Amino acid sequence: MANWLVIALTVINVVFIMVLVGLVLAQIKLKRQLAGLVETLEANKNDVAGLCKAAVKVDHRIEHTDAQIGELLIKLSEQQFVDQSSHPYGGVIQKVRSGASVNELMQNSGLSQDEAALLIRLHGAGQQR
């Protein structure tokens, strides 16, 4: 009976050793996977940091461009005002854009019917630009 007990304990020890070896191999595999994941995480962290820096630069460029566009719009509106006021028909064109009729232009601005009609065709409210 002692032989059976020794054999049973030996088999149990062999099974435990095999399980232990399997667990050690699994631990080694998990350590490798963890190292790979840590490496991937670091690479992703560096990518996100780079994207944040690029986004800040783009934001600054957009702000600068918006400021330039604002300045250009102001200059353009000033230039249009100067152009219209220096134009001999500037005031009449403003009246046409406000919806003046041919008769109003003839009476108030001293234009002929053909001139008034032409200005309304060129600068009237129905014109698409």
Side-chain angles (χ1 to χ4, degrees), residues 82-93:
V82 169
D83 288 348
Q84 290 174 357
S85 63
S86 66
H87 194 281
Y89 290 102
V92 178
I93 291 172

Side-chain angles (χ1 to χ4, degrees), residues 78-126:
E78 290 171 354
Q79 184 64 35
Q80 286 177 345
F81 179 74
V82 169
D83 288 348
Q84 290 174 357
S85 63
S86 66
H87 194 281
Y89 290 102
V92 178
I93 291 172
Q94 286 299 98
K95 290 178 185 177
V96 169
R97 289 183 179 157
S98 297
S101 68
V102 173
N103 289 335
E104 290 176 37
L105 294 177
M106 288 171 54
Q107 290 174 359
N108 298 333
S109 302
L111 298 175
S112 69
Q113 183 176 2
D114 291 337
E115 288 175 314
L118 178 61
L119 286 172
I120 288 175
R121 287 180 94 178
L122 292 175
H123 300 283

Side-chain angles (χ1 to χ4, degrees), residues 17-39:
I17 290 173
M18 290 174 55
V19 168
L20 183 63
V21 169
L23 289 174
V24 169
L25 292 176
Q27 181 191 20
I28 292 170
K29 182 179 176 183
L30 288 173
K31 280 185 178 181
R32 287 181 187 156
Q33 288 177 344
L34 177 63
L37 290 174
V38 167
E39 185 178 316

Side-chain angles (χ1 to χ4, degrees), residues 55-96:
V56 168
K57 287 181 181 179
V58 168
D59 190 45
H60 289 306
R61 286 182 187 168
I62 288 173
E63 287 176 5
H64 180 70
T65 303
D66 282 346
Q68 287 179 328
I69 288 173
E71 292 171 8
L72 289 174
L73 287 173
I74 291 170
K75 287 179 183 178
L76 181 62
S77 65
E78 290 171 354
Q79 184 64 35
Q80 286 177 345
F81 179 74
V82 169
D83 288 348
Q84 290 174 357
S85 63
S86 66
H87 194 281
Y89 290 102
V92 178
I93 291 172
Q94 286 299 98
K95 290 178 185 177
V96 169

